[in-house]
Coordinates of all heavy atoms in Angstrom, one line a residue:
M1 N 46.0 32.9 46.1 CA 45.1 33.6 45.2 C 44.0 32.7 44.7 O 42.9 33.2 44.5 CB 45.9 34.2 44.0 CG 46.8 35.3 44.4 SD 46.0 36.8 45.0 CE 45.4 37.5 43.5
A2 N 44.3 31.5 44.4 CA 43.2 30.6 43.9 C 42.1 30.4 44.8 O 40.9 30.1 44.4 CB 43.8 29.2 43.5
S3 N 42.3 30.6 46.1 CA 41.2 30.4 47.1 C 40.3 31.6 47.3 O 39.2 31.5 47.9 CB 41.8 29.9 48.4 OG 42.5 31.0 49.0
I4 N 40.7 32.7 46.7 CA 39.9 34.0 46.8 C 38.7 33.9 45.8 O 38.9 33.7 44.6 CB 40.7 35.2 46.5 CG1 41.8 35.4 47.5 CG2 39.9 36.4 46.5 CD1 42.8 36.5 47.3
K5 N 37.5 34.0 46.4 CA 36.3 33.9 45.5 C 35.8 35.2 45.1 O 35.0 35.3 44.2 CB 35.2 33.1 46.3 CG 35.6 31.7 46.7 CD 35.8 30.9 45.5 CE 36.1 29.4 45.9 NZ 36.5 28.6 44.8
G6 N 36.1 36.3 45.8 CA 35.6 37.6 45.5 C 36.1 38.6 46.5 O 36.4 38.3 47.6
I7 N 36.1 39.9 46.1 CA 36.3 41.0 46.9 C 35.2 42.0 46.7 O 34.8 42.4 45.6 CB 37.7 41.7 46.6 CG1 38.8 40.7 46.7 CG2 37.9 43.0 47.4 CD1 40.1 41.2 46.2
F8 N 34.6 42.4 47.9 CA 33.3 43.2 47.8 C 33.5 44.5 48.6 O 34.0 44.5 49.7 CB 32.2 42.4 48.3 CG 32.0 41.1 47.7 CD1 32.6 39.9 48.1 CD2 31.2 41.0 46.5 CE1 32.4 38.7 47.4 CE2 31.0 39.8 45.9 CZ 31.7 38.6 46.3
A9 N 32.9 45.5 48.1 CA 32.8 46.8 48.8 C 31.5 46.8 49.6 O 31.4 47.6 50.6 CB 32.8 48.0 47.8
D10 N 30.5 46.1 49.3 CA 29.2 46.1 49.9 C 29.0 44.8 50.7 O 29.1 43.7 50.1 CB 28.2 46.2 48.8 CG 26.7 46.3 49.4 OD1 26.4 45.7 50.4 OD2 26.0 47.0 48.8
Q11 N 28.7 44.9 52.0 CA 28.5 43.7 52.8 C 27.4 42.8 52.3 O 27.4 41.6 52.3 CB 28.2 44.1 54.2 CG 28.1 42.8 55.1 CD 27.9 43.2 56.6 OE1 28.1 44.3 57.0 NE2 27.5 42.2 57.4
K12 N 26.3 43.4 51.8 CA 25.1 42.7 51.3 C 25.5 41.8 50.1 O 25.1 40.6 50.1 CB 24.0 43.6 50.9 CG 22.7 42.9 50.5 CD 21.6 43.9 50.2 CE 20.4 43.2 49.7 NZ 19.3 44.1 49.3
D13 N 26.3 42.4 49.2 CA 26.8 41.6 48.1 C 27.6 40.4 48.5 O 27.5 39.3 48.0 CB 27.5 42.5 47.1 CG 26.7 43.5 46.3 OD1 25.4 43.3 46.3 OD2 27.2 44.4 45.8
A14 N 28.5 40.7 49.5 CA 29.3 39.6 50.0 C 28.5 38.5 50.6 O 28.8 37.3 50.4 CB 30.3 40.2 51.0
E15 N 27.5 38.8 51.4 CA 26.6 37.8 52.1 C 25.8 37.0 51.0 O 25.7 35.8 51.1 CB 25.7 38.5 53.0 CG 26.4 39.0 54.3 CD 25.5 39.9 55.1 OE1 24.4 40.2 54.7 OE2 26.0 40.2 56.2
T16 N 25.3 37.7 50.0 CA 24.6 37.0 49.0 C 25.5 36.0 48.2 O 25.1 34.9 48.0 CB 24.0 38.1 48.0 OG1 23.1 38.9 48.7 CG2 23.2 37.4 46.8
F17 N 26.7 36.5 47.9 CA 27.6 35.6 47.2 C 28.0 34.4 48.0 O 28.1 33.3 47.6 CB 28.9 36.4 46.8 CG 29.8 35.6 46.0 CD1 29.6 35.3 44.6 CD2 31.0 35.1 46.5 CE1 30.5 34.6 43.9 CE2 31.9 34.4 45.8 CZ 31.7 34.1 44.5
T18 N 28.2 34.7 49.3 CA 28.6 33.6 50.2 C 27.5 32.5 50.3 O 27.8 31.3 50.3 CB 28.9 34.1 51.6 OG1 30.0 35.1 51.5 CG2 29.3 33.0 52.6
R19 N 26.2 33.0 50.4 CA 25.1 32.1 50.5 C 25.1 31.2 49.2 O 24.8 30.0 49.2 CB 23.8 32.8 50.7 CG 23.5 33.2 52.1 CD 22.1 33.6 52.4 NE 21.7 34.8 51.7 CZ 22.0 36.0 52.1 NH1 22.7 36.2 53.3 NH2 21.6 37.1 51.5
S20 N 25.3 31.8 48.0 CA 25.3 31.1 46.8 C 26.4 30.1 46.8 O 26.2 28.9 46.3 CB 25.3 32.0 45.6 OG 26.6 32.6 45.4
L21 N 27.6 30.4 47.3 CA 28.7 29.4 47.4 C 28.3 28.3 48.3 O 28.6 27.1 48.0 CB 30.0 30.1 47.8 CG 30.7 31.0 46.9 CD1 31.9 31.6 47.5 CD2 31.1 30.2 45.6
M22 N 27.7 28.6 49.4 CA 27.3 27.5 50.4 C 26.3 26.6 49.7 O 26.4 25.3 49.8 CB 26.6 28.1 51.6 CG 27.6 28.8 52.5 SD 26.9 29.8 53.8 CE 25.9 28.6 54.6
D23 N 25.4 27.1 48.9 CA 24.5 26.2 48.1 C 25.3 25.3 47.2 O 25.0 24.1 47.1 CB 23.5 27.1 47.3 CG 22.5 27.8 48.2 OD1 22.4 27.4 49.4 OD2 21.9 28.7 47.7
D24 N 26.3 25.9 46.5 CA 27.1 25.1 45.5 C 27.9 24.0 46.2 O 28.2 23.0 45.6 CB 28.0 26.0 44.7 CG 27.3 26.9 43.8 OD1 26.1 26.6 43.5 OD2 27.9 27.9 43.4
N25 N 28.2 24.2 47.5 CA 29.1 23.3 48.2 C 28.3 22.3 49.0 O 28.9 21.6 49.9 CB 30.1 24.1 49.1 CG 31.1 24.8 48.2 OD1 31.5 24.3 47.2 ND2 31.5 26.0 48.6
G26 N 27.0 22.2 48.9 CA 26.3 21.1 49.5 C 25.4 21.6 50.6 O 24.6 20.8 51.1
D27 N 25.4 22.8 51.1 CA 24.5 23.3 52.2 C 23.3 23.8 51.5 O 23.0 24.9 51.3 CB 25.2 24.4 53.0 CG 24.3 24.8 54.1 OD1 23.3 24.2 54.4 OD2 24.6 25.8 54.8
R28 N 22.4 22.8 51.1 CA 21.2 23.2 50.3 C 19.9 23.1 51.0 O 18.9 23.0 50.4 CB 21.2 22.3 49.0 CG 22.5 22.5 48.2 CD 22.5 21.5 47.1 NE 23.8 21.7 46.4 CZ 24.0 21.5 45.2 NH1 23.0 21.2 44.4 NH2 25.2 21.6 44.7
E29 N 19.9 23.1 52.3 CA 18.7 22.9 53.0 C 17.6 23.8 52.6 O 16.5 23.4 52.2 CB 19.0 23.1 54.5 CG 17.7 22.8 55.4 CD 18.1 23.0 56.8 OE1 19.2 22.5 57.3 OE2 17.2 23.5 57.6
Q30 N 17.9 25.1 52.5 CA 16.9 26.1 52.1 C 16.7 26.0 50.6 O 15.5 26.1 50.1 CB 17.3 27.5 52.5 CG 16.3 28.5 52.0 CD 16.7 30.0 52.3 OE1 17.8 30.2 52.8 NE2 15.9 30.9 51.9
A31 N 17.7 25.9 49.8 CA 17.7 25.9 48.4 C 16.8 24.8 47.8 O 16.2 24.9 46.8 CB 19.1 25.9 47.8
E32 N 16.9 23.6 48.4 CA 16.2 22.5 47.9 C 14.6 22.6 48.1 O 13.9 21.9 47.4 CB 16.7 21.2 48.5 CG 18.0 20.8 47.9 CD 18.5 19.5 48.4 OE1 17.9 18.8 49.2 OE2 19.6 19.1 48.0
V33 N 14.2 23.5 49.0 CA 12.8 23.6 49.2 C 12.2 24.2 48.0 O 11.1 23.7 47.5 CB 12.5 24.5 50.4 CG1 11.1 24.9 50.6 CG2 13.1 23.9 51.7
S34 N 12.7 25.2 47.4 CA 12.2 25.8 46.2 C 13.4 26.6 45.5 O 14.2 27.1 46.1 CB 11.0 26.7 46.4 OG 11.5 27.8 47.2
P35 N 13.3 26.6 44.2 CA 14.3 27.4 43.4 C 14.2 28.9 43.7 O 13.1 29.4 44.1 CB 14.1 27.1 42.0 CG 12.7 26.6 41.9 CD 12.3 26.0 43.3
R36 N 15.3 29.6 43.6 CA 15.3 31.1 43.7 C 15.5 31.7 42.4 O 16.0 31.1 41.5 CB 16.3 31.5 44.7 CG 16.0 30.9 46.2 CD 17.1 31.3 47.1 NE 18.2 30.4 47.0 CZ 19.3 30.5 47.6 NH1 19.5 31.4 48.4 NH2 20.2 29.6 47.4
N37 N 15.2 33.0 42.4 CA 15.5 33.8 41.2 C 16.9 34.3 41.2 O 17.3 34.9 42.3 CB 14.6 35.0 41.1 CG 13.2 34.6 40.7 OD1 13.0 34.0 39.6 ND2 12.2 34.8 41.6
F38 N 17.7 34.1 40.2 CA 19.0 34.6 40.1 C 19.2 35.6 38.9 O 18.5 35.4 37.9 CB 20.0 33.4 39.8 CG 20.4 32.6 41.1 CD1 19.5 31.6 41.5 CD2 21.5 32.9 41.8 CE1 19.8 30.9 42.6 CE2 21.8 32.1 42.9 CZ 21.0 31.1 43.3
Y39 N 20.0 36.6 39.1 CA 20.3 37.6 38.1 C 21.6 37.0 37.4 O 22.6 36.8 38.1 CB 20.6 38.9 38.9 CG 21.1 40.0 38.0 CD1 20.2 40.9 37.5 CD2 22.5 40.2 37.8 CE1 20.7 42.0 36.7 CE2 22.9 41.3 37.1 CZ 22.0 42.2 36.6 OH 22.5 43.3 35.9
V40 N 21.5 36.9 36.1 CA 22.7 36.3 35.4 C 22.9 37.4 34.3 O 22.0 37.7 33.5 CB 22.3 35.0 34.7 CG1 23.5 34.4 34.0 CG2 21.9 34.0 35.8
A41 N 24.1 37.9 34.2 CA 24.4 39.0 33.3 C 25.7 38.9 32.5 O 26.7 38.3 33.0 CB 24.4 40.3 34.0
T42 N 25.7 39.4 31.3 CA 26.9 39.6 30.5 C 27.2 41.1 30.7 O 26.6 41.8 31.5 CB 26.7 39.3 29.1 OG1 25.8 40.2 28.5 CG2 26.1 37.9 28.9
L43 N 28.1 41.6 29.9 CA 28.5 43.0 29.9 C 27.3 43.9 29.5 O 27.1 45.0 30.1 CB 29.7 43.3 29.0 CG 30.3 44.7 29.2 CD1 30.8 44.9 30.6 CD2 31.5 44.8 28.2
S44 N 26.5 43.4 28.6 CA 25.4 44.3 28.1 C 24.0 43.8 28.3 O 23.1 44.5 28.0 CB 25.7 44.6 26.6 OG 25.6 43.3 25.9
R45 N 23.8 42.6 28.7 CA 22.5 42.0 28.9 C 22.4 41.2 30.1 O 23.3 40.7 30.7 CB 22.1 41.1 27.7 CG 22.1 41.8 26.4 CD 21.8 40.8 25.3 NE 21.8 41.5 24.0 CZ 21.6 41.0 22.9 NH1 21.4 39.7 22.8 NH2 21.5 41.7 21.8
Y46 N 21.1 41.1 30.6 CA 20.9 40.2 31.8 C 19.5 39.5 31.6 O 18.7 39.9 30.9 CB 20.9 41.0 33.0 CG 19.6 41.9 33.3 CD1 18.6 41.3 34.0 CD2 19.5 43.1 32.8 CE1 17.4 42.1 34.2 CE2 18.4 43.9 33.0 CZ 17.3 43.3 33.7 OH 16.2 44.1 33.9
V47 N 19.4 38.4 32.4 CA 18.2 37.7 32.5 C 18.0 37.2 33.9 O 19.0 37.2 34.7 CB 18.1 36.4 31.6 CG1 18.1 36.8 30.1 CG2 19.2 35.5 31.9
L48 N 16.8 36.9 34.3 CA 16.5 36.3 35.6 C 16.2 34.8 35.3 O 15.4 34.6 34.4 CB 15.4 37.0 36.3 CG 15.6 38.4 36.8 CD1 14.4 38.8 37.6 CD2 16.8 38.6 37.5
V49 N 16.8 33.9 36.0 CA 16.5 32.5 35.9 C 16.2 31.9 37.2 O 16.7 32.5 38.2 CB 17.7 31.7 35.2 CG1 18.0 32.3 33.8 CG2 19.0 31.8 36.0
Q50 N 15.5 30.9 37.3 CA 15.2 30.2 38.5 C 16.2 29.0 38.6 O 16.3 28.2 37.7 CB 13.8 29.7 38.6 CG 12.8 30.8 38.8 CD 11.5 30.3 39.3 OE1 11.1 29.2 39.1 NE2 10.8 31.2 40.0
A51 N 16.8 28.8 39.8 CA 17.7 27.7 40.0 C 17.8 27.5 41.5 O 17.4 28.3 42.3 CB 19.1 28.1 39.4
F52 N 18.4 26.3 41.9 CA 18.5 26.0 43.3 C 19.8 26.6 43.8 O 20.0 26.7 45.0 CB 18.6 24.5 43.5 CG 17.2 23.8 43.3 CD1 17.0 23.1 42.1 CD2 16.2 24.0 44.2 CE1 15.7 22.5 41.9 CE2 15.0 23.4 44.0 CZ 14.7 22.7 42.8
N53 N 20.8 26.9 43.0 CA 22.0 27.5 43.4 C 22.7 28.3 42.3 O 22.2 28.3 41.2 CB 23.0 26.4 44.0 CG 23.2 25.3 42.9 OD1 23.5 25.6 41.8 ND2 23.2 24.1 43.4
A54 N 23.8 28.9 42.6 CA 24.5 29.8 41.6 C 25.0 29.0 40.4 O 25.0 29.5 39.3 CB 25.6 30.6 42.3
L55 N 25.5 27.8 40.7 CA 26.0 27.0 39.6 C 24.9 26.6 38.6 O 25.0 26.7 37.4 CB 26.6 25.7 40.1 CG 27.2 24.8 39.0 CD1 28.3 25.5 38.2 CD2 27.8 23.5 39.7
G56 N 23.7 26.3 39.1 CA 22.5 26.0 38.3 C 22.1 27.2 37.5 O 21.7 27.1 36.3
A57 N 22.2 28.4 38.2 CA 21.8 29.6 37.5 C 22.8 29.9 36.4 O 22.4 30.4 35.3 CB 21.8 30.7 38.5
L58 N 24.0 29.7 36.6 CA 25.0 30.0 35.6 C 24.8 29.1 34.4 O 24.7 29.6 33.2 CB 26.4 29.7 36.1 CG 27.6 29.8 35.1 CD1 27.7 31.2 34.5 CD2 28.9 29.3 35.7
K59 N 24.5 27.8 34.6 CA 24.2 26.9 33.5 C 23.0 27.3 32.7 O 22.9 27.3 31.5 CB 24.1 25.5 34.0 CG 25.4 24.9 34.4 CD 25.3 23.5 35.0 CE 26.6 23.0 35.4 NZ 26.5 21.6 36.0
A60 N 21.9 27.7 33.4 CA 20.7 28.2 32.8 C 20.9 29.5 32.0 O 20.4 29.6 30.9 CB 19.6 28.4 33.8
G61 N 21.7 30.4 32.6 CA 22.0 31.6 31.9 C 22.8 31.4 30.6 O 22.5 32.1 29.6
E62 N 23.7 30.5 30.6 CA 24.6 30.3 29.5 C 23.8 29.8 28.3 O 24.2 30.0 27.1 CB 25.7 29.3 29.8 CG 26.8 29.9 30.7 CD 27.8 28.9 31.2 OE1 27.5 27.7 31.2 OE2 28.9 29.3 31.5
V63 N 22.7 29.1 28.5 CA 21.9 28.6 27.4 C 20.6 29.4 27.1 O 19.9 29.1 26.2 CB 21.5 27.0 27.6 CG1 22.7 26.2 27.7 CG2 20.6 26.9 28.8
H64 N 20.4 30.4 27.9 CA 19.2 31.3 27.7 C 19.4 32.0 26.3 O 20.5 32.5 26.0 CB 19.1 32.3 28.8 CG 17.8 33.0 28.8 ND1 17.5 34.0 28.0 CD2 16.8 32.8 29.7 CE1 16.3 34.4 28.2 NE2 15.8 33.8 29.2
P65 N 18.3 32.1 25.5 CA 18.4 32.7 24.2 C 19.0 34.1 24.2 O 19.7 34.5 23.3 CB 17.0 32.7 23.7 CG 16.3 31.6 24.5 CD 17.0 31.5 25.8
V66 N 18.7 34.9 25.3 CA 19.2 36.3 25.4 C 20.7 36.3 25.6 O 21.4 37.2 25.1 CB 18.4 37.0 26.5 CG1 19.1 38.4 26.7 CG2 17.0 37.1 26.1
L67 N 21.3 35.3 26.3 CA 22.7 35.4 26.6 C 23.5 34.4 25.9 O 24.7 34.4 26.0 CB 22.9 35.1 28.1 CG 22.1 36.0 29.1 CD1 22.5 35.7 30.5 CD2 22.4 37.5 28.8
E68 N 22.9 33.5 25.2 CA 23.6 32.4 24.5 C 24.8 32.9 23.7 O 24.7 33.8 22.9 CB 22.6 31.6 23.6 CG 23.2 30.3 23.2 CD 22.1 29.4 22.4 OE1 21.1 30.0 22.0 OE2 22.3 28.2 22.4
G69 N 25.9 32.3 23.9 CA 27.1 32.6 23.2 C 27.9 33.8 23.7 O 29.0 34.1 23.2
S70 N 27.4 34.4 24.8 CA 28.1 35.5 25.5 C 28.7 35.1 26.8 O 28.3 34.1 27.4 CB 27.1 36.7 25.8 OG 26.5 37.1 24.6
E71 N 29.7 35.8 27.2 CA 30.4 35.5 28.4 C 29.6 36.0 29.6 O 29.4 37.2 29.7 CB 31.8 36.1 28.4 CG 32.6 35.8 29.7 CD 34.0 36.4 29.7 OE1 34.3 37.2 28.8 OE2 34.7 36.1 30.7
V72 N 29.2 35.1 30.5 CA 28.5 35.5 31.7 C 29.5 36.1 32.7 O 30.5 35.4 33.0 CB 27.7 34.3 32.3 CG1 27.2 34.7 33.7 CG2 26.6 33.9 31.4
L73 N 29.2 37.3 33.2 CA 30.1 37.9 34.1 C 29.6 38.0 35.5 O 30.4 38.1 36.5 CB 30.4 39.4 33.6 CG 31.1 39.5 32.3 CD1 31.2 40.9 31.9 CD2 32.4 38.8 32.2
T74 N 28.3 37.9 35.7 CA 27.7 38.1 37.0 C 26.6 37.0 37.2 O 25.8 36.8 36.4 CB 27.0 39.4 37.2 OG1 28.0 40.5 36.9 CG2 26.4 39.6 38.5
V75 N 26.6 36.4 38.4 CA 25.6 35.5 38.8 C 25.3 35.8 40.3 O 26.3 35.6 41.1 CB 26.0 34.0 38.6 CG1 24.9 33.1 39.2 CG2 26.3 33.7 37.2
R76 N 24.1 36.2 40.6 CA 23.8 36.4 42.0 C 22.3 36.3 42.2 O 21.6 36.3 41.3 CB 24.3 37.8 42.5 CG 23.7 39.0 41.7 CD 24.1 40.3 42.3 NE 23.7 41.4 41.5 CZ 22.4 41.8 41.3 NH1 21.4 41.2 41.8 NH2 22.2 42.8 40.5
I77 N 21.9 36.2 43.5 CA 20.5 36.2 43.8 C 19.9 37.5 43.4 O 20.4 38.6 43.6 CB 20.3 35.9 45.3 CG1 20.8 34.5 45.6 CG2 18.8 36.0 45.6 CD1 20.8 34.2 47.1
A78 N 18.8 37.4 42.7 CA 18.1 38.7 42.2 C 17.4 39.4 43.4 O 16.9 38.8 44.3 CB 17.0 38.3 41.2
T79 N 17.5 40.7 43.3 CA 16.8 41.5 44.3 C 15.3 41.5 44.0 O 14.8 41.3 42.9 CB 17.3 43.0 44.3 OG1 16.9 43.6 43.0 CG2 18.8 43.1 44.4
P80 N 14.5 41.9 45.1 CA 13.1 42.0 44.8 C 12.7 43.0 43.8 O 11.8 42.8 43.0 CB 12.5 42.4 46.2 CG 13.5 41.9 47.2 CD 14.9 42.0 46.5
E81 N 13.4 44.1 43.7 CA 13.2 45.1 42.7 C 13.4 44.6 41.3 O 12.7 44.9 40.3 CB 14.1 46.3 43.0 CG 13.7 47.1 44.2 CD 14.3 46.5 45.5 OE1 15.2 45.6 45.4 OE2 13.9 46.9 46.6
E82 N 14.5 43.8 41.1 CA 14.8 43.2 39.8 C 13.7 42.2 39.4 O 13.3 42.2 38.2 CB 16.1 42.5 39.8 CG 17.3 43.5 39.9 CD 18.6 42.9 40.3 OE1 18.6 41.8 40.9 OE2 19.6 43.5 40.0
I83 N 13.2 41.4 40.3 CA 12.2 40.5 40.0 C 10.9 41.2 39.7 O 10.2 40.9 38.7 CB 11.9 39.6 41.3 CG1 13.2 38.7 41.5 CG2 10.7 38.7 41.1 CD1 13.2 38.0 42.8
E84 N 10.6 42.3 40.4 CA 9.4 43.1 40.1 C 9.5 43.7 38.7 O 8.5 43.7 38.0 CB 9.2 44.1 41.2 CG 7.9 45.0 41.0 CD 7.8 46.0 42.1 OE1 8.5 45.9 43.2 OE2 7.0 46.9 41.9
L85 N 10.6 44.3 38.4 CA 10.8 44.9 37.1 C 10.6 43.9 36.0 O 10.0 44.2 35.0 CB 12.1 45.6 37.0 CG 12.5 46.3 35.7 CD1 11.5 47.4 35.4 CD2 13.9 46.8 35.7
T86 N 11.2 42.8 36.1 CA 11.2 41.7 35.1 C 9.7 41.3 34.9 O 9.3 41.1 33.7 CB 12.1 40.6 35.5 OG1 13.4 41.0 35.6 CG2 12.0 39.5 34.4
E87 N 9.0 41.1 36.0 CA 7.6 40.7 35.9 C 6.8 41.7 35.2 O 5.9 41.4 34.3 CB 7.0 40.3 37.3 CG 7.6 39.0 37.8 CD 7.2 38.8 39.3 OE1 6.7 39.7 40.0 OE2 7.5 37.7 39.8
W88 N 7.0 43.0 35.5 CA 6.3 44.1 34.9 C 6.6 44.1 33.4 O 5.7 44.3 32.6 CB 6.7 45.4 35.6 CG 6.1 46.6 34.9 CD1 4.9 47.2 35.2 CD2 6.7 47.4 33.9 NE1 4.7 48.3 34.4 CE2 5.8 48.5 33.6 CE3 7.9 47.4 33.3 CZ2 6.0 49.4 32.6 CZ3 8.2 48.4 32.3 CH2 7.3 49.4 32.0
H89 N 7.9 44.0 33.1 CA 8.3 44.0 31.7 C 7.6 42.9 30.9 O 7.1 43.1 29.8 CB 9.8 44.0 31.5 CG 10.3 44.0 30.1 ND1 10.6 42.9 29.4 CD2 10.4 45.1 29.3 CE1 11.0 43.3 28.2 NE2 10.9 44.6 28.1
E90 N 7.6 41.7 31.4 CA 7.0 40.6 30.7 C 5.5 40.8 30.5 O 4.9 40.5 29.5 CB 7.2 39.3 31.5 CG 8.7 38.8 31.4 CD 9.0 37.7 32.3 OE1 8.1 37.2 33.1 OE2 10.1 37.2 32.3
Q91 N 4.8 41.4 31.6 CA 3.4 41.7 31.4 C 3.1 42.7 30.3 O 2.2 42.6 29.5 CB 2.9 42.3 32.8 CG 1.4 42.6 32.8 CD 1.0 43.3 34.1 OE1 1.8 43.8 34.9 NE2 -0.3 43.3 34.3
K92 N 4.0 43.7 30.2 CA 3.8 44.8 29.2 C 4.1 44.2 27.8 O 3.4 44.5 26.9 CB 4.7 46.0 29.4 CG 4.4 46.7 30.7 CD 3.0 47.3 30.6 CE 2.6 48.0 31.8 NZ 1.2 48.4 31.9
V93 N 5.0 43.3 27.7 CA 5.3 42.7 26.4 C 4.1 41.8 26.0 O 3.7 41.8 24.8 CB 6.6 41.8 26.4 CG1 6.7 40.9 25.2 CG2 7.8 42.8 26.6
D94 N 3.5 41.1 26.9 CA 2.4 40.2 26.6 C 1.2 41.1 26.2 O 0.5 40.8 25.2 CB 1.9 39.4 27.8 CG 2.9 38.2 28.1 OD1 3.7 37.9 27.2 OD2 2.9 37.7 29.2
E95 N 1.0 42.2 26.9 CA -0.1 43.1 26.5 C 0.1 43.7 25.1 O -0.8 43.8 24.3 CB -0.2 44.3 27.5 CG -0.7 43.9 28.9 CD -0.7 45.0 29.9 OE1 -0.4 46.2 29.5 OE2 -0.9 44.7 31.1
E96 N 1.3 44.1 24.8 CA 1.6 44.6 23.5 C 1.4 43.6 22.4 O 0.9 43.9 21.3 CB 3.1 45.1 23.5 CG 3.4 46.0 22.3 CD 4.8 46.6 22.4 OE1 5.0 47.3 23.4 OE2 5.6 46.3 21.6
R97 N 1.7 42.3 22.7 CA 1.5 41.3 21.7 C 0.0 41.0 21.4 O -0.4 40.8 20.3 CB 2.2 40.0 22.2 CG 3.7 39.9 22.0 CD 4.2 38.6 22.4 NE 5.7 38.7 22.2 CZ 6.5 38.1 23.1 NH1 6.1 37.4 24.1 NH2 7.8 38.2 22.9
R98 N -0.8 41.1 22.5 CA -2.2 40.9 22.4 C -2.8 42.0 21.5 O -3.7 41.8 20.7 CB -2.9 40.8 23.7 CG -2.7 39.4 24.4 CD -3.7 39.3 25.6 NE -3.5 40.3 26.6 CZ -2.6 40.1 27.7 NH1 -2.0 39.0 27.8 NH2 -2.5 41.1 28.5
V99 N -2.4 43.2 21.8 CA -2.9 44.4 21.1 C -2.5 44.3 19.6 O -3.3 44.6 18.7 CB -2.4 45.7 21.7 CG1 -2.7 46.9 20.8 CG2 -3.0 45.9 23.1
S100 N -1.3 43.9 19.3 CA -0.8 43.9 17.9 C -1.3 42.6 17.2 O -1.1 42.5 16.0 CB 0.7 44.1 17.9 OG 1.3 42.9 18.4
G101 N -1.8 41.6 17.9 CA -2.2 40.4 17.3 C -1.1 39.4 17.0 O -1.4 38.5 16.2
S102 N 0.1 39.6 17.5 CA 1.2 38.6 17.2 C 1.2 37.5 18.2 O 1.0 37.6 19.3 CB 2.5 39.3 17.2 OG 2.6 40.6 17.1

């Protein structure tokens, strides 16, 4: 049981998780070129962080102000849709701050 890393219903999720494990175990050829966006989530909140591998993403998520002090339940490579939504949200928050003068 200790060697089981996960059970997946979706092949894409399994492949994504396996790639992140390979990065953690030293196969970092692609990861060292540039960091990737990872989805890091608790039961009720999530953030996207940039890291070279899942372990780095977990560490970054644990100290992120949005997740700090909460138990991280999910760490995986972010989908293009999640990245796009996060960028859109950050743009809208910036626009709102400029309009309100804060």
Side-chain angles (χ1 to χ4, degrees):
M1 292 295 281
S3 65
I4 296 174
K5 300 294 183 189
I7 299 173
F8 304 90
D10 183 326
Q11 181 177 348
K12 185 178 176 185
D13 289 343
E15 290 171 351
T16 299
F17 183 76
T18 300
R19 279 194 294 280
S20 71
L21 284 179
M22 289 170 56
D23 290 345
D24 291 342
N25 290 323
D27 183 11
R28 300 177 186 210
E29 183 177 319
Q30 179 184 1
E32 287 185 358
V33 173
S34 62
R36 292 180 280 176
N37 288 299
F38 281 83
Y39 174 93
V40 182
T42 67
L43 190 57
S44 61
R45 297 179 178 179
Y46 76 92
V47 295
L48 296 186
V49 298
Q50 287 196 336
F52 290 106
N53 56 46
L55 181 59
L58 173 62
K59 290 178 181 179
E62 288 175 334
V63 298
H64 192 284
V66 172
L67 304 183
E68 194 172 22
S70 300
E71 180 183 7
V72 171
L73 301 175
T74 302
V75 177
R76 62 173 170 72
I77 297 172
T79 66
E81 293 82 9
E82 290 164 339
I83 295 167
E84 183 180 346
L85 177 63
T86 299
E87 289 170 352
W88 175 85
H89 181 261
E90 289 172 357
Q91 179 185 20
K92 294 299 177 188
V93 168
D94 287 343
E95 288 173 10
E96 194 173 298
R97 284 185 182 139
R98 280 194 300 267
V99 169
S100 69
S102 341

